[in-house]
Amino acid sequence: MADLFVISSNRFSFTYGGKEFPLLKISGIDVQAKTAGHKSPIASGKNAQMSRQTVSTGYYNNQNITIEAVLQDGVKTLYDIFKKGMPATYGGDGKWTQNFSDAAITIFDPDAKEVLTYNLKQCQIVSYEVSEFNVSGDQFLTEKFELNVESVERKQK
């Protein structure tokens, strides 16, 4: 019998546009099928037996994932990518259509060997948030970026 190998969630790397970024957290990978026909019966038969048929109508695209990084003095690369796509009227560079890039989340085992990769196609940073400023806080400041992702592909190593 094969040994069970559980993958830890704390060993990962994130690349965006070919550059690796140190992150604290990633969340929101969620691919859902679209279905039709499952809500209503399509026929009634012998003994009042209801018939239903569920049909796949594709998958929801353009889901969003959230990445979170600890704010580092002098490092604003992810923010600069976000700003590049913002309209010029809001202080950005106005290059929305030029601001799409592929990304990848790579998961490692305890020996630092790649276990699997999530390839994220045609991503764009669509929102930015800074964590709470709190005089009695004991946490690092973090930046959250939401990425709109066209498609997700899981590749096992």
Side-chain angles (χ1 to χ4, degrees), residues 38-69:
H38 62 281
K39 293 181 182 177
S40 302
I42 59 172
S44 177
K46 186 177 179 184
N47 298 326
Q49 181 69 35
M50 295 291 183
S51 297
R52 298 177 191 272
Q53 182 175 1
T54 302
V55 178
S56 173
T57 59
Y59 287 85
Y60 289 99
N61 290 331
N62 295 359
Q63 62 270 14
N64 288 355
I65 67 163
T66 302
I67 61 174
E68 188 172 353

Short mmCIF file of all heavy atoms in Angstrom, two decimals, residues 38-69:
data_model
loop_
_atom_site.label_atom_id
_atom_site.label_comp_id
_atom_site.label_asym_id
_atom_site.label_seq_id
_atom_site.Cartn_x
_atom_site.Cartn_y
_atom_site.Cartn_z
N HIS A 38 -31.23 21.41 -13.17
CA HIS A 38 -31.29 20.70 -11.89
C HIS A 38 -32.33 21.28 -10.92
O HIS A 38 -32.69 20.66 -9.94
CB HIS A 38 -29.92 20.70 -11.22
CG HIS A 38 -29.41 22.06 -10.89
ND1 HIS A 38 -28.86 22.88 -11.85
CD2 HIS A 38 -29.40 22.76 -9.74
CE1 HIS A 38 -28.51 24.03 -11.29
NE2 HIS A 38 -28.83 23.97 -10.01
N LYS A 39 -32.82 22.45 -11.21
CA LYS A 39 -33.76 23.09 -10.29
C LYS A 39 -35.21 22.68 -10.51
O LYS A 39 -36.01 22.75 -9.59
CB LYS A 39 -33.63 24.61 -10.40
CG LYS A 39 -32.30 25.13 -9.92
CD LYS A 39 -32.22 26.63 -10.02
CE LYS A 39 -30.84 27.10 -9.57
NZ LYS A 39 -30.67 28.53 -9.70
N SER A 40 -35.54 22.27 -11.70
CA SER A 40 -36.93 21.95 -12.02
C SER A 40 -37.04 20.58 -12.66
O SER A 40 -36.17 20.19 -13.45
CB SER A 40 -37.50 22.98 -13.00
OG SER A 40 -37.41 24.27 -12.47
N PRO A 41 -38.10 19.85 -12.35
CA PRO A 41 -38.30 18.55 -13.01
C PRO A 41 -38.65 18.75 -14.49
O PRO A 41 -39.22 19.78 -14.87
CB PRO A 41 -39.46 17.93 -12.25
CG PRO A 41 -40.13 19.05 -11.55
CD PRO A 41 -39.13 20.14 -11.37
N ILE A 42 -38.28 17.78 -15.31
CA ILE A 42 -38.60 17.88 -16.73
C ILE A 42 -39.74 16.94 -17.13
O ILE A 42 -40.25 17.03 -18.23
CB ILE A 42 -37.36 17.61 -17.61
CG1 ILE A 42 -36.78 16.23 -17.34
CG2 ILE A 42 -36.32 18.70 -17.41
CD1 ILE A 42 -35.67 15.82 -18.31
N ALA A 43 -40.10 16.01 -16.22
CA ALA A 43 -41.20 15.10 -16.53
C ALA A 43 -41.68 14.43 -15.25
O ALA A 43 -40.96 14.36 -14.25
CB ALA A 43 -40.75 14.04 -17.53
N SER A 44 -42.92 13.92 -15.32
CA SER A 44 -43.47 13.11 -14.25
C SER A 44 -43.91 11.80 -14.88
O SER A 44 -44.52 11.78 -15.95
CB SER A 44 -44.67 13.83 -13.62
OG SER A 44 -45.24 13.02 -12.62
N GLY A 45 -43.57 10.72 -14.21
CA GLY A 45 -43.88 9.41 -14.79
C GLY A 45 -44.68 8.54 -13.84
O GLY A 45 -45.39 9.03 -12.96
N LYS A 46 -44.54 7.24 -14.01
CA LYS A 46 -45.26 6.24 -13.23
C LYS A 46 -45.07 6.49 -11.74
O LYS A 46 -43.96 6.79 -11.28
CB LYS A 46 -44.73 4.85 -13.61
CG LYS A 46 -45.49 3.73 -12.97
CD LYS A 46 -44.95 2.41 -13.46
CE LYS A 46 -45.70 1.30 -12.78
NZ LYS A 46 -45.18 0.00 -13.15
N ASN A 47 -46.13 6.38 -10.98
CA ASN A 47 -46.13 6.60 -9.53
C ASN A 47 -45.68 8.02 -9.17
O ASN A 47 -45.08 8.23 -8.12
CB ASN A 47 -45.26 5.58 -8.81
CG ASN A 47 -45.77 4.17 -9.00
OD1 ASN A 47 -46.97 3.93 -9.09
ND2 ASN A 47 -44.84 3.23 -9.09
N ALA A 48 -45.94 8.97 -10.07
CA ALA A 48 -45.59 10.39 -9.85
C ALA A 48 -44.09 10.59 -9.65
O ALA A 48 -43.67 11.51 -8.95
CB ALA A 48 -46.40 10.97 -8.70
N GLN A 49 -43.28 9.74 -10.21
CA GLN A 49 -41.82 9.86 -10.12
C GLN A 49 -41.36 11.04 -10.99
O GLN A 49 -41.62 11.06 -12.19
CB GLN A 49 -41.14 8.57 -10.59
CG GLN A 49 -39.64 8.57 -10.50
CD GLN A 49 -39.14 8.58 -9.08
OE1 GLN A 49 -39.73 7.97 -8.20
NE2 GLN A 49 -38.06 9.28 -8.83
N MET A 50 -40.70 12.00 -10.40
CA MET A 50 -40.20 13.17 -11.12
C MET A 50 -38.86 12.86 -11.77
O MET A 50 -38.00 12.25 -11.14
CB MET A 50 -40.03 14.37 -10.19
CG MET A 50 -41.30 14.88 -9.60
SD MET A 50 -42.29 15.63 -10.90
CE MET A 50 -43.65 16.21 -9.96
N SER A 51 -38.70 13.30 -12.99
CA SER A 51 -37.42 13.14 -13.69
C SER A 51 -36.74 14.49 -13.79
O SER A 51 -37.37 15.51 -14.08
CB SER A 51 -37.65 12.60 -15.11
OG SER A 51 -38.22 11.32 -15.05
N ARG A 52 -35.47 14.48 -13.56
CA ARG A 52 -34.65 15.69 -13.68
C ARG A 52 -33.43 15.35 -14.51
O ARG A 52 -32.98 14.21 -14.55
CB ARG A 52 -34.18 16.19 -12.30
CG ARG A 52 -35.31 16.57 -11.39
CD ARG A 52 -34.76 16.99 -10.02
NE ARG A 52 -35.81 17.13 -9.05
CZ ARG A 52 -36.52 18.23 -8.85
NH1 ARG A 52 -36.27 19.30 -9.55
NH2 ARG A 52 -37.46 18.27 -7.94
N GLN A 53 -32.88 16.36 -15.16
CA GLN A 53 -31.65 16.15 -15.90
C GLN A 53 -30.76 17.36 -15.69
O GLN A 53 -31.18 18.50 -15.93
CB GLN A 53 -31.93 15.97 -17.40
CG GLN A 53 -30.67 15.69 -18.17
CD GLN A 53 -30.95 15.40 -19.63
OE1 GLN A 53 -32.09 15.41 -20.07
NE2 GLN A 53 -29.90 15.12 -20.37
N THR A 54 -29.57 17.11 -15.23
CA THR A 54 -28.61 18.18 -15.03
C THR A 54 -27.65 18.19 -16.21
O THR A 54 -27.11 17.14 -16.58
CB THR A 54 -27.83 17.98 -13.72
OG1 THR A 54 -28.76 17.94 -12.65
CG2 THR A 54 -26.84 19.10 -13.49
N VAL A 55 -27.45 19.35 -16.78
CA VAL A 55 -26.58 19.50 -17.94
C VAL A 55 -25.49 20.51 -17.61
O VAL A 55 -25.77 21.57 -17.03
CB VAL A 55 -27.40 19.99 -19.16
CG1 VAL A 55 -26.51 20.20 -20.35
CG2 VAL A 55 -28.51 19.02 -19.47
N SER A 56 -24.27 20.19 -17.96
CA SER A 56 -23.17 21.13 -17.77
C SER A 56 -23.23 22.20 -18.85
O SER A 56 -23.43 21.91 -20.03
CB SER A 56 -21.82 20.41 -17.87
OG SER A 56 -20.77 21.36 -17.84
N THR A 57 -23.09 23.43 -18.43
CA THR A 57 -23.08 24.55 -19.39
C THR A 57 -21.76 25.30 -19.34
O THR A 57 -21.68 26.47 -19.67
CB THR A 57 -24.25 25.51 -19.10
OG1 THR A 57 -24.12 26.02 -17.77
CG2 THR A 57 -25.58 24.83 -19.27
N GLY A 58 -20.72 24.62 -18.90
CA GLY A 58 -19.40 25.23 -18.84
C GLY A 58 -18.96 25.52 -17.42
O GLY A 58 -19.46 24.92 -16.46
N TYR A 59 -18.04 26.44 -17.29
CA TYR A 59 -17.50 26.81 -15.99
C TYR A 59 -17.51 28.32 -15.86
O TYR A 59 -17.42 29.05 -16.83
CB TYR A 59 -16.06 26.29 -15.84
CG TYR A 59 -16.02 24.81 -15.62
CD1 TYR A 59 -16.04 23.94 -16.70
CD2 TYR A 59 -16.01 24.28 -14.35
CE1 TYR A 59 -16.03 22.56 -16.50
CE2 TYR A 59 -16.01 22.92 -14.14
CZ TYR A 59 -16.02 22.07 -15.22
OH TYR A 59 -16.04 20.72 -15.01
N TYR A 60 -17.63 28.78 -14.62
CA TYR A 60 -17.55 30.20 -14.36
C TYR A 60 -16.11 30.63 -14.57
O TYR A 60 -15.18 30.03 -14.03
CB TYR A 60 -17.97 30.53 -12.92
CG TYR A 60 -19.45 30.36 -12.70
CD1 TYR A 60 -19.95 29.21 -12.11
CD2 TYR A 60 -20.33 31.35 -13.10
CE1 TYR A 60 -21.31 29.05 -11.91
CE2 TYR A 60 -21.69 31.19 -12.90
CZ TYR A 60 -22.17 30.04 -12.31
OH TYR A 60 -23.52 29.89 -12.12
N ASN A 61 -15.93 31.63 -15.36
CA ASN A 61 -14.58 32.16 -15.60
C ASN A 61 -14.40 33.45 -14.81
O ASN A 61 -15.32 33.99 -14.24
CB ASN A 61 -14.38 32.45 -17.10
CG ASN A 61 -14.31 31.18 -17.90
OD1 ASN A 61 -13.87 30.14 -17.41
ND2 ASN A 61 -14.73 31.24 -19.14
N ASN A 62 -13.19 33.93 -14.86
CA ASN A 62 -12.84 35.20 -14.25
C ASN A 62 -13.14 35.25 -12.77
O ASN A 62 -13.72 36.20 -12.27
CB ASN A 62 -13.51 36.36 -14.98
CG ASN A 62 -13.01 36.50 -16.39
OD1 ASN A 62 -12.15 35.75 -16.83
ND2 ASN A 62 -13.54 37.45 -17.11
N GLN A 63 -12.74 34.22 -12.06
CA GLN A 63 -12.86 34.25 -10.61
C GLN A 63 -11.74 35.12 -10.04
O GLN A 63 -10.77 35.40 -10.72
CB GLN A 63 -12.80 32.84 -10.01
CG GLN A 63 -11.52 32.10 -10.26
CD GLN A 63 -11.52 31.28 -11.54
OE1 GLN A 63 -12.36 31.44 -12.39
NE2 GLN A 63 -10.54 30.43 -11.69
N ASN A 64 -11.91 35.55 -8.81
CA ASN A 64 -10.90 36.38 -8.17
C ASN A 64 -10.20 35.60 -7.07
O ASN A 64 -10.83 34.81 -6.37
CB ASN A 64 -11.54 37.64 -7.56
CG ASN A 64 -11.98 38.62 -8.62
OD1 ASN A 64 -11.75 38.44 -9.80
ND2 ASN A 64 -12.63 39.67 -8.19
N ILE A 65 -8.91 35.82 -6.95
CA ILE A 65 -8.15 35.29 -5.83
C ILE A 65 -7.56 36.48 -5.08
O ILE A 65 -7.43 37.57 -5.63
CB ILE A 65 -7.03 34.31 -6.25
CG1 ILE A 65 -5.93 35.01 -7.03
CG2 ILE A 65 -7.59 33.15 -7.03
CD1 ILE A 65 -4.65 34.22 -7.10
N THR A 66 -7.23 36.26 -3.82
CA THR A 66 -6.65 37.31 -2.99
C THR A 66 -5.25 36.89 -2.56
O THR A 66 -5.05 35.76 -2.12
CB THR A 66 -7.52 37.57 -1.75
OG1 THR A 66 -8.83 37.91 -2.19
CG2 THR A 66 -6.96 38.69 -0.90
N ILE A 67 -4.32 37.80 -2.71
CA ILE A 67 -2.96 37.56 -2.21
C ILE A 67 -2.67 38.62 -1.15
O ILE A 67 -3.16 39.75 -1.23
CB ILE A 67 -1.90 37.60 -3.34
CG1 ILE A 67 -1.87 38.95 -4.04
CG2 ILE A 67 -2.14 36.48 -4.34
CD1 ILE A 67 -0.76 39.10 -5.06
N GLU A 68 -1.90 38.24 -0.15
CA GLU A 68 -1.60 39.16 0.95
C GLU A 68 -0.10 39.12 1.22
O GLU A 68 0.49 38.06 1.36
CB GLU A 68 -2.38 38.76 2.20
CG GLU A 68 -2.28 39.75 3.32
CD GLU A 68 -3.22 39.42 4.47
OE1 GLU A 68 -4.05 38.49 4.35
OE2 GLU A 68 -3.11 40.09 5.50
N ALA A 69 0.50 40.30 1.28
CA ALA A 69 1.93 40.43 1.51
C ALA A 69 2.18 41.36 2.69
O ALA A 69 1.42 42.31 2.91
CB ALA A 69 2.63 40.99 0.27
#
